[in-house]
Amino acid sequence: MNDLLPGEIEIWQHVEALARELFGRFGYGEVRTPMVEDTALFVRSVGEETDIVGKEMYTFEDKGGRSLSLRPEGTAPAARAYIEHSVINQEPITRWFYMGPMFRYERMKTGRYRQFYQIGAEAYGAKEAAQDAELMDMVVQFLEALELKDVSLNLNSLGDEACRPAYHTKLVEYLRSKRESLCADCQRRLETNPLRVLDCKNEGCQAIAAAGPNVLEFLCEPCRAHFDDLKRKLTALGIKFVENPRMVRGLDYYTRTVFEVIASHPALGTASTVCGGGRYDKMMKGLGGPDVPAVGFAIGLDRLVLLLKESGRKFTSSPDLFVAVADEGSQTDALTLASRLRREGLRVDFDTRGGSLKSQMKRADKSGARFTLVLGEAERTSGQAKLKPMAGGEPIPVALDDVAKTLRAQPAATPAGPA
Ligand code: ATP
Ligand code: MG
């Protein structure tokens, strides 16, 4: 679990602000659910045989003897809230997004943490491929706006309850014939949840899975039509994708569409999936709610931030101005000037310890401020001061009443006043 401090947090804020703004354009409203839920919620939706529920949850008993779990993902909590608040009775289509920490007891490495952050979205109420396409368009626009290159969208369909059983049978038959070569986990999965074998990180198991039956060849007519419709719409939207029949995703609740966005960047190592999503038309009903189709995704924020860090782009903003104090008698006036300029919307740094002008100028340099203004007895008496450009150049004379206006008039100007 990580601490996030200024210097890095600006990247997080940038990504979060972009998500809020962009998802808003698509009509998604933010939901915030509790960090803990009844353990049963995840067992019933994510699935007992998944890595998440089987090995990774932080589960504990509270003082009332209930089994609670720190949320390992956001889809089930959002579905629970949707059911609990009878949202179906309020509108036929609901678009929600969430962001916040998730918890999984995993082996920590780059891009894989025990408290990590997701930004996710869920669209409830439409079973049509247009909804899947719209959702993926939002993911693509989001990653584009972050200027992330080298990402690829992987797409698959897992069929539904009509066609998956036949695939399932063939898969089990095939995997049984390879049983001896599977890892111990997969030998168990073979009996409890054979689809999970395709998701195994073990290279040997991956090679076996790759040579096995292809789920797309088993799709029934309606699932095939849904998948084709989706691909047509993605193409019309100009979204490039790779069809990947071995991709199943690590959660049990998916039906038909599943997708992943992979970023191939050395900074991520093996943790290269930055977004995973899919359709889960049966989950609501399975949780005791209405029969509502849904499709959603979750983006791994930690991994996005790692990529943005690597990009070398600058996300922090420096002060517009450093106010320095020439003599002790001017400190209160300098504090007041800084206060007024901040009220006027400027980013102002000020050394509250006072001290020598030389040490203050050192700090001004370090702060990255664009200008420094020295306030002493002369400036207070005349009401006139100078804006010293820290990058070099001639000082600009300024009336103490006009500092904000003058600063804003400088090229590469400062932000446009208070929000
Ligand atoms: P992986 O195959 O990498 O374990 P997953 O299938 O468990 O991923 P999901 O449950 O689909 O992942 O979560 C969606 C996204 O959340 C992932 O693609 C990833 O970016 C991020 N994520 C998942 N687990 C972690 C973690 N422990 N630390 C950081 N990010 C994570
Ligand atoms: Mg995982």
Side-chain angles (χ1 to χ4, degrees):
M1 301 187 185
N2 297 311
D3 297 315
L4 304 173
L5 307 181
E8 179 184 342
I9 201 78
E10 291 80 3
I11 308 181
W12 293 77
Q13 291 169 337
H14 172 79
V15 178
E16 289 163 3
L18 181 75
R20 288 208 169 83
E21 197 278 320
L22 180 72
F23 294 3
R25 275 190 249 160
F26 279 79
Y28 285 72
E30 182 174 354
V31 288
R32 298 187 193 183
T33 62
M35 234 62 91
V36 289
E37 297 275 354
D38 276 330
T39 301
L41 173 68
F42 301 110
V43 175
R44 290 170 65 193
S45 55
V46 176
E48 192 135 33
E49 255 309 306
T50 58
D51 282 355
I52 294 178
V53 171
K55 313 192 236 180
E56 297 172 355
M57 277 209 297
Y58 282 90
T59 298
F60 59 96
E61 207 170 86
D62 76 356
K63 288 197 174 11
R66 304 171 195 86
S67 177
L68 301 180
S69 293
L70 295 182
R71 63 179 187 194
E73 58 101 57
T75 297
R80 193 231 359 104
Y82 180 91
I83 295 167
E84 202 165 309
H85 297 274
S86 306
V87 180
I88 182 73
N89 298 328
Q90 297 157 37
E91 51 186 13
I93 292 194
T94 300
R95 293 179 175 91
W96 280 357
F97 77 91
Y98 60 84
M99 52 177 85
M102 307 293 160
F103 305 84
R104 296 183 194 174
Y105 194 75
E106 298 210 62
R107 205 163 307 157
M108 142 110 196
K109 53 184 174 192
T110 308
R112 196 174 287 288
Y113 313 108
R114 291 181 173 173
Q115 173 171 332
F116 62 101
Y117 294 79
Q118 286 185 338
I119 300 183
E122 319 287 346
Y124 307 112
K127 62 181 188 319
E128 286 71 18
Q131 187 60 69
D132 309 40
E134 185 202 65
L135 188 87
M136 284 183 223
D137 186 31
M138 188 162 90
V139 174
V140 169
Q141 289 199 31
F142 181 63
L143 298 174
E144 267 174 21
L146 289 172
E147 297 174 38
L148 288 178
K149 311 262 164 19
D150 300 322
V151 293
S152 102
L153 174 63
N154 278 246
L155 188 64
N156 194 18
S157 174
L158 301 179
D160 62 8
E161 71 279 11
C163 53
R164 206 187 299 178
Y167 167 68
H168 202 275
T169 307
K170 261 276 163 9
L171 181 68
V172 172
E173 225 169 75
Y174 167 76
L175 291 175
R176 285 221 171 102
S177 74
K178 307 280 174 197
R179 192 183 163 88
E180 300 312 311
S181 318
L182 294 171
C183 72
D185 271 345
C186 281
Q187 296 195 5
R188 186 174 43 81
R189 287 178 185 129
L190 179 51
E191 305 311 324
T192 51
N193 196 341
L195 263 187
R196 292 280 75 76
V197 175
L198 276 66
D199 212 30
C200 181
K201 305 269 190 298
N202 185 307
E203 271 177 31
C205 299
Q206 278 179 6
I208 292 170
N214 176 340
V215 65
L216 293 175
E217 285 165 11
F218 289 81
L219 294 186
C220 60
E221 186 38 41
C223 285
R224 160 68 48 200
H226 193 274
F227 193 50
D228 288 344
D229 191 17
L230 172 58
K231 289 190 288 181
R232 264 194 310 276
K233 287 186 162 68
L234 290 177
T235 305
L237 287 165
I239 296 172
K240 291 199 188 68
F241 59 88
V242 181
E243 204 175 284
N244 177 359
R246 316 292 160 197
M247 180 188 60
V248 295
R249 312 272 319 113
L251 302 91
D252 271 1
Y253 48 59
Y254 290 118
T255 46
R256 292 189 171 168
T257 315
V258 287
F259 64 98
E260 262 183 7
V261 179
I262 317 278
S264 41
H265 193 289
L268 291 179
T270 53
S272 57
T273 307
V274 292
C275 172
R279 179 164 277 290
Y280 50 100
D281 292 346
K282 302 290 156 207
M283 185 170 115
M284 283 290 186
K285 199 150 182 231
L287 287 175
D291 194 3
V292 177
V295 57
F297 67 79
I299 290 173
L301 195 44
D302 308 71
R303 295 180 190 180
L304 281 194
V305 169
L306 270 173
L307 290 173
L308 290 172
K309 260 192 206 160
E310 287 293 313
S311 76
R313 283 160 61 197
K314 186 174 177 280
F315 293 92
T316 49
S317 22
S318 311
D320 302 306
L321 180 70
F322 188 96
V323 175
V325 189
D327 50 71
E328 223 180 291
S330 301
Q331 219 214 11
T332 303
D333 278 16
L335 179 68
T336 312
L337 175 66
S339 161
R340 178 158 58 79
L341 295 175
R342 288 164 177 156
R343 185 166 281 131
E344 289 172 359
L346 294 183
R347 301 172 68 93
V348 180
D349 196 5
F350 171 64
D351 192 336
T352 44
R353 299 167 306 174
S356 75
L357 197 53
K358 193 170 155 215
S359 73
Q360 290 180 65
M361 292 311 281
K362 252 198 200 151
R363 250 198 84 84
D365 238 349
K366 225 177 151 196
S367 76
R370 286 183 68 216
F371 294 92
T372 297
L373 183 154
V374 178
L375 193 77
E377 205 181 330
E379 286 80 11
R380 287 195 286 139
T381 319
S382 65
Q384 297 287 324
K386 291 206 175 77
L387 290 172
K388 177 179 182 280
M390 296 306 280
E394 285 301 301
I396 302 157
V398 65
L400 285 178
D401 288 337
D402 274 345
V403 175
K405 207 173 111 203
T406 309
L407 258 178
R408 288 209 179 91
Q410 299 310 306
T414 45

